[in-house]
């Protein structure tokens, strides 16, 4: 075998291998759900497919090339790497479709979702860590009834609420704070904001915050649509341990979820 032929074959292997097996860049900017689960975001799966394909291609090339087994092996490996990378993406796409649908449902409902693909042996879970229903509210912009504690900021509340049962209104967001009023079971009222802990809501009457009700005793009267959520996506399978990544997701002006790595 000539040096020129060997160099050409090695160059071919290097070129195809780098295209098929190179790890993808990490998520660096906001993108839609489809972009989050695109093939270029696969990293290890695509690389694994390329390496397996390279091994199979090398074996096939060695058997087919009768005159020069060395160059046959090298070219076979290059072709196998390309095919393996392609198959890796195709196999990943089924997982990606399931993961994307589970993520979308988790973002819309605020409830954890799971997915599983019996063909690939992979599975995953999307957990909702936190949600917000608009930008934070400046506590200084609110008015408070006498004796009711003000807070620097509140989470957006989502509007009208109803009491599940009779609930005390307290002067501050704590069970140790003084009781300053009540809301009756079935009573509807406005919530001006939710304390940053998420466990107390500032009840409003006539534009004033009149006391804090425990979030466990009240509920929104209508469906709340979150504008932002923080989620954790976990994936297991493929002979590897479970890997997890946290993401922040917010709706854009078209109502589409845009995701960034947290």
């Amino acid at each position: 075998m000539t040096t020129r032929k060997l160099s050409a074959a090695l160059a071919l292997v290097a070129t195809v291998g780098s295209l098929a097996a190179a790890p993808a860049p990490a998520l660096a900017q906001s993108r839609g759900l489809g972009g989050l689960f695109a093939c270029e975001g696969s990293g290890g799966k695509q690389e694994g497919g390329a390496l397996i394909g390279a091994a199979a291609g090398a074996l096939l090339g060695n058997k087919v090339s009768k005159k020069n087994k060395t160059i046959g092996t090298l070219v076979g490996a290059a072709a196998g790497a390309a095919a393996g990378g392609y198959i890796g993406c195709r196999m990943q796409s089924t997982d990606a479709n399931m993961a994307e649908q589970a993520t979308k449902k988790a973002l819309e409902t605020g409830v954890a979702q799971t997915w599983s693909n019996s063909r690939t042996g992979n599975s995953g879970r999307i957990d909702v860590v936190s949600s917000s229903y608009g930008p934070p509210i400046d506590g200084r912009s609110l008015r408070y009834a006498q004796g009711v504690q003000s807070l620097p900021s509140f989470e957006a509340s989502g509007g009208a609420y109803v009491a599940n049962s009779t609930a005390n209104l307290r002067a501050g967001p704590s069970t140790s704070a003084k009781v300053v009023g009540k809301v009756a079971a079935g009573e509807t009222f406005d919530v001006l904001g939710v304390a940053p802990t998420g466990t107390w809501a500032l009840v409003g009457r006539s534009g004033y915050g009149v006391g804090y009700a425990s979030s466990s005793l009240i509920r929104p009267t209508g469906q709340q649509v979150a504008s932002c959520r923080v989620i954790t996506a976990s994936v297991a399978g493929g002979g590897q341990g479970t890997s997890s990544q946290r993401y922040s997701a917010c709706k854009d002006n078209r109502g589409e979820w845009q995701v960034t790595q947290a």
Side-chain angles (χ1 to χ4, degrees), residues 1 5-14 16 54 57-59 61-62 65 68-81:
M1 179 177 182
K5 289 181 179 180
L6 179 59
S7 298
L10 289 173
L12 178 59
V13 172
V16 177
L59 179 61
N62 186 274
S65 181
N68 195 319
K69 292 189 178 295
T70 302
I71 194 169
T73 298
L74 293 172
V75 173

Side-chain angles (χ1 to χ4, degrees), residues 171-198:
S174 169
T175 53
S176 62
K178 180 182 177 179
V179 175
V180 293
K182 294 181 182 294
V183 289
E187 181 182 346
T188 58
F189 49 86
D190 289 329
V191 166
L192 303 182
V194 176
T197 58

Side-chain angles (χ1 to χ4, degrees), residues 97-149:
N97 289 337
M98 292 182 176
E100 181 177 345
Q101 292 304 312
T103 302
K104 185 174 182 179
K105 188 172 182 178
L107 289 172
E108 293 293 344
T109 64
V111 179
Q113 302 293 322
T114 60
W115 61 271
S116 179
N117 189 345
S118 59
R119 292 186 60 191
T120 64
N122 294 322
S123 61
R125 180 181 175 90
I126 311 297
D127 288 294
V128 178
V129 178
S130 64
S131 303
S132 62
Y133 301 89
I137 298 170
D138 188 342
R140 296 171 298 181
S141 67
L142 300 178
R143 296 182 296 175
Y144 303 85
Q146 187 174 1
V148 176
Q149 179 185 347

Side-chain angles (χ1 to χ4, degrees), residues 146-232:
Q146 187 174 1
V148 176
Q149 179 185 347
S150 63
L151 297 180
S153 65
F154 293 85
E155 294 179 1
S157 64
Y161 277 66
V162 62
N164 298 325
S165 59
T166 300
N168 289 326
L169 296 181
R170 296 185 178 272
S174 169
T175 53
S176 62
K178 180 182 177 179
V179 175
V180 293
K182 294 181 182 294
V183 289
E187 181 182 346
T188 58
F189 49 86
D190 289 329
V191 166
L192 303 182
V194 176
T197 58
T199 55
W200 292 90
L202 179 63
V203 174
R205 287 177 181 154
S206 300
Y208 285 84
V210 295
Y212 293 86
S214 172
S215 299
S216 64
L217 302 178
I218 63 177
R219 70 180 189 278
T221 57
Q223 182 180 8
Q224 290 183 299
V225 180
S227 57
C228 291
R229 297 192 196 274
V230 176
I231 60 172
T232 298

Side-chain angles (χ1 to χ4, degrees), residues 21-96:
L27 183 65
Q29 59 184 3
S30 180
R31 60 174 66 186
L33 293 182
L36 180 63
F37 297 109
C39 178
E40 65 268 16
S42 63
K45 285 188 179 180
Q46 186 176 358
E47 183 177 358
L51 293 177
I52 294 171
L59 179 61
L60 179 62
N62 186 274
K63 290 183 177 180
V64 171
S65 181
K66 297 180 179 179
K67 293 184 179 179
N68 195 319
K69 292 189 178 295
T70 302
I71 194 169
T73 298
L74 293 172
V75 173
Y86 177 71
I87 292 172
C89 284
R90 286 295 298 273
M91 290 301 293
Q92 185 215 27
S93 68
T94 57
D95 295 336

